[in-house]
Amino acid sequence: MEMVIFFLFAALAVGSALVVVLHRNPVYSTLSLVLTLISLAVLFVLLGAPFIAALQVLIYTGAIVVLFLFVVMLLNIGREEASGERGLLQKVAAGVGALALLAFVALAYWGAYGTREVGPLTEDFVSLEVLATQLFSDYLLAFELVGLLLLVAVIAATVLAARLGNTPGGGESDPALPEAGEEGI
Amino acid sequence: MSDLLVTGAKLLVFLGVFLGAIAPIMVWLERRFCAFIQDRPGPNRLGPLGLFQPLADVFKFFFKEDVTPSTPDRALYLAAPALAVLPALVTFVFIPFGPTVEIGERLVPLIVSDAPAGVLLLLAIASLSVYSLVLAGYASNNKYSLMGGIRASAQLISYELAMTLAVVAVLLPVGSFHLSDVITYQQENGWNVLPQAIGFLVFLIAMFAETNRLPFDLPEAESELVAGFHTEYSAMRFASFFMSEYIAMTTLSALAATLYFGGWDLWGIDDWLVSTGSGLFLPEWFWAGAVGMTILVAKAFVFLLLFIWVRWTFPRFRYDQLMRLGWKVLLPLALFNVVLIAALTVGGVL
């Protein structure tokens, strides 16, 4: 039963992720992203981490992707125009980027597990208490730095928005635009 | 297997109460209460006090012509109403409607799903309902609908954060993500509404914004956007949006009652009712469920009445006012409340 659910949602996650990248209509891409994130949340539940699954749905599908959809619809981006032939440089850059990402993932995996036996997740590894304790002791520096990063992003967005507001016809005139600083959620 | 059966039975009972009873009564109540506020009789012809009016409405919706606009995104247009119903039908499973009871040999908690992080899951699934509004707005191929959809997305993001922070403040002194623990905590320490007054205010306001009710019904705003995101919908597809809004209101009301007003518990009066009832006829578990459910529904109805009362009393916010209230008033208030409650909890006051 668990295997069936796992393979179903793993396939769904990979398939919808492919649609995100390949579909020409940004609205459909964004919707596929929702499907990807929900599939991942189901996989988290299967791993015995319902808290992380709930956060995944609450923060990513419930807020961030809604924001993506908001921007896509606000800017009224239609079907992506056929941008013609892609240059050789672009292809090479894309290949290098993909390889680098793969290398990073492999390195991270090797660093975390190495040659150790990989067992199933246990309650004292993913439970809320353990997660919170780890986050606020061992990983406190990383946690605070991420917070700082978000703060910087919020300030940057505010500065950009304020600068837009100074030019005639920008800023205040668009009532549908939310207050700056949403990016930091 | 029998676990599955018990869960199925609880689901059916809860679904029956929520869908079969509360939603139609709400439709009737909305129209009658509105008529009362406006000093006119309202629909009073069909059945006693016009109670069968929702039934007639449903029949009307079934037999109306289903007009579909010409749109390049027909699949999304058809999917949007279904997506509206789905989260509305799922979220209530996380709300407890009674204590853990003994049925024969087994202990059965009177909650459909006592999942870990249940409150978070409830909020998460409830927030998915915005996709139906956004998609309806996008796929209708109508500028008014699109405006409504865009507004819905921005509004949800602005108010969900404050709402979640208010809920977090409730969970802090309880120290658990189970709503049943929240109720146990309130049985021992009194209702949360007093120590969490600020959080309750934020939650209440965010509740109106989450369900797109006046004074925050900007995605609909019939005086500006015709009917907003559901301008192009008719017949049962329109009714899907309509009904899911009422079910979402009911679920959020039940959640508010559970978080701040003791849920299914009523200062031990429920225990007295259960023991008296089970002394007469029918087993104890039946009475525990029935009394708990009745108290919860009664408390939820107080909020539902408030929804209607506010709708016919306050004018609609302007869009920038809505955003200002969300980001500059509610969010700082909710954050302050979290810090306050955290300090009180660590200080041992709560």
Side-chain angles (χ1 to χ4, degrees):
Chain A
M1 185 66 184
E2 227 177 88
M3 283 298 267
V4 175
I5 296 177
F6 170 77
F7 278 112
L8 187 70
F9 280 93
L12 204 60
V14 175
S16 56
L18 281 176
V19 176
V20 173
V21 186
L22 296 176
H23 207 284
R24 293 215 162 241
N25 187 334
V27 172
Y28 284 85
S29 284
T30 320
L31 288 175
S32 299
L33 190 57
V34 175
L35 206 59
T36 313
L37 293 169
I38 291 180
S39 311
L40 287 182
V42 173
L43 295 185
F44 279 133
V45 173
L46 283 185
L47 285 172
F51 176 70
I52 298 177
L55 280 192
Q56 166 100 353
V57 180
L58 189 68
I59 296 172
Y60 284 97
T61 40
I64 294 191
V65 182
V66 177
L67 209 67
F68 287 178
L69 207 55
F70 171 78
V71 172
V72 166
M73 283 169 60
L74 189 73
L75 300 180
N76 208 3
I77 307 168
R79 206 162 264 272
E80 175 199 21
E81 291 99 33
S83 52
E85 286 296 300
R86 288 196 171 83
L88 185 68
L89 196 63
Q90 267 177 313
K91 282 179 185 164
V92 171
V96 171
L99 275 178
L101 181 68
L102 212 64
F104 268 126
V105 173
L107 261 176
Y109 184 83
W110 190 258
Y113 298 110
T115 47
R116 267 186 293 151
E117 190 100 341
V118 180
L121 292 175
T122 48
E123 181 65 14
D124 51 87
F125 184 69
V126 287
S127 81
L128 191 50
E129 287 82 2
V130 176
L131 200 71
T133 320
Q134 292 266 309
L135 212 54
F136 284 97
S137 57
D138 290 1
Y139 299 101
L140 184 63
L141 183 67
F143 183 74
E144 295 287 344
L145 281 180
V146 168
L148 202 66
L149 183 69
L150 287 176
L151 184 68
V152 170
V154 172
I155 294 172
T158 316
V159 167
L160 284 176
R163 195 171 295 161
L164 274 179
N166 290 338
T167 59
E172 290 288 295
S173 65
D174 195 350
L177 217 60
E179 298 278 331
E182 281 191 18
E183 262 60 0
I185 299 165
Chain B
M1 192 63 212
S2 54
D3 272 335
L4 217 60
L5 260 168
V6 171
T7 307
K10 285 190 283 195
L11 197 62
L12 271 181
V13 169
F14 219 153
L15 205 64
V17 170
F18 264 62
L19 212 64
I22 297 184
I25 290 177
M26 269 305 289
V27 176
W28 172 82
L29 202 64
E30 175 108 290
R31 300 179 66 176
R32 290 291 296 209
F33 198 31
C34 140
F36 169 73
I37 289 173
Q38 297 171 343
D39 200 16
R40 58 187 174 85
N44 61 357
R45 295 287 127 179
L46 206 63
L49 296 170
L51 258 175
F52 296 157
Q53 187 64 38
L55 218 62
D57 287 348
V58 168
F59 272 111
K60 188 188 74 174
F61 278 130
F62 266 117
F63 289 108
K64 271 203 163 183
E65 186 189 354
D66 186 10
V67 186
T68 310
S70 68
T71 162
D73 301 285
R74 206 179 133 79
L76 286 186
Y77 174 85
L78 298 180
L83 279 177
V85 177
L86 205 64
L89 287 187
V90 173
T91 41
F92 67 84
V93 300
F94 301 110
I95 292 177
F97 59 94
T100 301
V101 292
E102 245 178 279
I103 302 179
E105 297 272 288
R106 26 188 314 127
L107 286 172
V108 179
L110 289 181
I111 174 173
V112 182
S113 159
D114 200 8
V119 201
L120 282 187
L121 272 177
L122 195 161
L123 291 172
I125 296 172
S127 72
L128 292 184
S129 68
V130 72
Y131 284 106
S132 71
L133 310 199
V134 174
L135 287 186
Y138 172 79
S140 288
N141 198 19
N142 175 324
K143 60 184 170 195
Y144 297 114
S145 300
L146 186 65
M147 280 299 292
I150 289 174
R151 283 179 177 191
S153 56
Q155 177 173 332
L156 175 106
I157 291 170
S158 311
Y159 282 81
E160 194 183 44
L161 208 55
M163 187 181 227
T164 313
L165 281 176
V167 174
V168 164
V170 172
L171 300 176
L172 270 177
V174 179
S176 158
F177 270 103
H178 291 271
L179 276 176
S180 35
D181 291 338
V182 175
I183 292 174
T184 320
Y185 174 84
Q186 290 181 90
Q187 282 173 330
E188 289 156 7
N189 299 288
W191 287 358
N192 269 334
V193 65
L194 283 180
Q196 307 261 1
I198 306 173
F200 173 63
L201 192 72
V202 171
F203 187 89
L204 193 66
I205 297 174
M207 217 161 95
F208 282 84
E210 280 268 323
T211 48
N212 300 311
R213 294 281 297 185
L214 265 165
F216 303 117
D217 69 335
L218 271 300
E220 258 181 76
E222 65 269 13
S223 50
E224 311 159 34
L225 300 182
V226 190
F229 64 92
H230 60 60
T231 304
E232 297 286 358
Y233 285 88
S234 50
M236 268 326 271
R237 291 191 208 287
F238 163 71
S240 309
F241 285 117
F242 187 64
M243 292 315 282
S244 50
E245 179 184 309
Y246 280 100
I247 301 171
M249 275 162 63
T250 315
T251 310
L252 275 183
S253 300
L255 180 64
T258 306
L259 288 175
Y260 295 100
F261 291 90
W264 49 262
D265 178 67
L266 195 72
W267 305 306
I269 297 175
D270 53 325
D271 295 333
W272 178 78
L273 278 173
V274 169
S275 58
T276 320
S278 51
L280 295 173
F281 55 96
L282 290 172
E284 195 183 330
W285 58 266
F286 171 82
W287 283 101
V291 169
M293 183 82 101
T294 311
I295 293 173
L296 181 68
V297 167
K299 285 178 178 172
F301 253 106
V302 175
F303 285 100
L304 289 170
L305 274 177
L306 188 72
F307 268 119
I308 302 174
W309 191 6
V310 166
R311 171 170 184 182
W312 300 104
T313 311
F314 286 99
R316 180 179 301 123
F317 273 52
R318 219 172 53 218
Y319 195 77
D320 57 323
Q321 292 170 331
L322 176 97
M323 283 297 160
R324 190 167 303 139
L325 181 71
W327 287 106
K328 292 190 176 169
V329 180
L330 286 187
L331 190 60
L333 256 183
L335 272 173
F336 168 73
N337 185 49
V338 169
V339 174
L340 180 77
I341 299 291
L344 288 177
T345 308
V346 172
V349 183
L350 284 180

